[in-house]
Amino acid sequence: MIAPSILSADFARLAEATESVRGADWLHVDVMDGHFVPNLTIGLPVVEALLATTDIPLDCHLMIDDPDRWAVGYAEAGAYNVTVHVEAAEDPVRIAKDLRSAGAKAGLSVKPDTPLEPYVELLGHYDTLLVMSVEPGFGGQEFIPDVLDKVRLARDHELKVLIEIDGGINLDTIEQAAEAGVDCFVAGSAVYGADDPAKAVERLRARAAREEPRES
């Protein structure tokens, strides 16, 4: 699965940006509040506008303080998958229940320096595990390969979650992430920095499936 991140799109043309990646599995939406991470992006009103313009399922990644209060609003608006950070959640089990009750899939994310082992039991309440492969807050960062150990750990525990990875995913890094066991790949500049974003999505999908050879 490929989830283009609109963090790398032109915010003045978001409707066009969503249309340009038709065929993507999910559309990744980074919500940042300027507190949990040192950046400020978009919030619920923009997500609601996006929901009205595309039928691509929205994958809302909430990099915000107090997700216990705010996360369910994204589910109620119609987001397909809503992910909160374990570092910010006060009651992650309750959040998962609330998100599911509101009709969304529930996702839990961990920063690169956050170990996964203490939260393995929590993942039984969640549908998605989002492993951050860069420090959250800004796009265009370099992939951190060490985080793939968390993916392998989740696979070793045979957790029934979809494993997603976010940060530095491109044609060079997607293969090693796929080999580690990732199911869904968030890609920003690798998609929206391409001349044809839709073709970029398909190339990433093929590379993850090892169907596209590397260029010599």
Side-chain angles (χ1 to χ4, degrees):
M1 296 173 60
I2 306 297
S5 171
I6 63 168
L7 183 63
S8 296
D10 183 347
F11 275 23
R13 299 181 175 182
L14 287 183
E16 295 174 31
T18 61
E19 184 63 27
S20 72
V21 293
R22 184 163 297 280
D25 298 282
W26 289 355
L27 188 68
H28 191 79
V29 182
D30 287 310
V31 176
M32 307 182 194
D33 63 0
H35 298 284
F36 180 70
V37 292
N39 195 6
L40 184 66
T41 55
I42 62 178
L44 185 55
V46 175
V47 168
E48 291 171 334
L50 285 171
L51 285 162
T53 62
T54 183
D55 56 4
I56 302 174
L58 291 198
D59 175 31
C60 292
H61 177 195
L62 307 187
M63 288 170 270
I64 62 173
D65 284 342
D66 200 8
D68 301 70
R69 176 182 180 185
W70 300 109
V72 71
Y74 291 84
E76 291 172 343
Y80 179 80
N81 186 72
V82 180
T83 295
V84 300
H85 269 266
V86 72
E87 301 90 353
E90 291 187 11
D91 189 345
V93 174
R94 170 54 58 188
I95 293 177
K97 290 179 179 178
D98 288 346
L99 290 173
R100 286 172 159 181
S101 294
K105 301 291 185 182
L108 192 68
S109 184
V110 289
K111 292 181 178 182
D113 290 336
T114 300
L116 180 61
E117 188 66 56
Y119 307 110
V120 166
E121 295 299 320
L122 273 180
L123 289 170
H125 300 277
Y126 281 83
D127 303 290
T128 307
L129 166 64
L130 175 58
V131 176
M132 292 301 299
S133 44
V134 299
E135 286 299 326
F138 296 92
Q141 298 182 61
E142 188 173 339
F143 181 78
I144 303 172
D146 289 350
V147 304
L148 294 178
D149 288 340
K150 298 177 193 177
V151 176
R152 298 183 185 101
L153 175 63
R155 289 301 180 208
D156 289 344
H157 280 276
E158 298 183 352
L159 298 173
K160 295 181 180 179
V161 292
L162 181 147
I163 300 179
E164 186 175 12
I165 196 161
D166 181 4
I169 294 297
N170 54 42
L171 288 172
D172 294 323
T173 58
I174 197 168
E175 283 184 276
Q176 56 185 303
E179 289 171 359
V182 173
D183 301 299
C184 182
F185 307 86
V186 177
S189 55
V191 172
Y192 284 111
D195 292 336
D196 187 330
K199 284 186 178 179
V201 167
E202 293 311 312
R203 288 193 67 191
L204 286 165
R205 195 194 311 281
R207 182 64 62 84
R210 302 173 186 83
E211 295 172 353
E212 179 178 305
R214 284 181 169 273
E215 296 179 3
S216 57

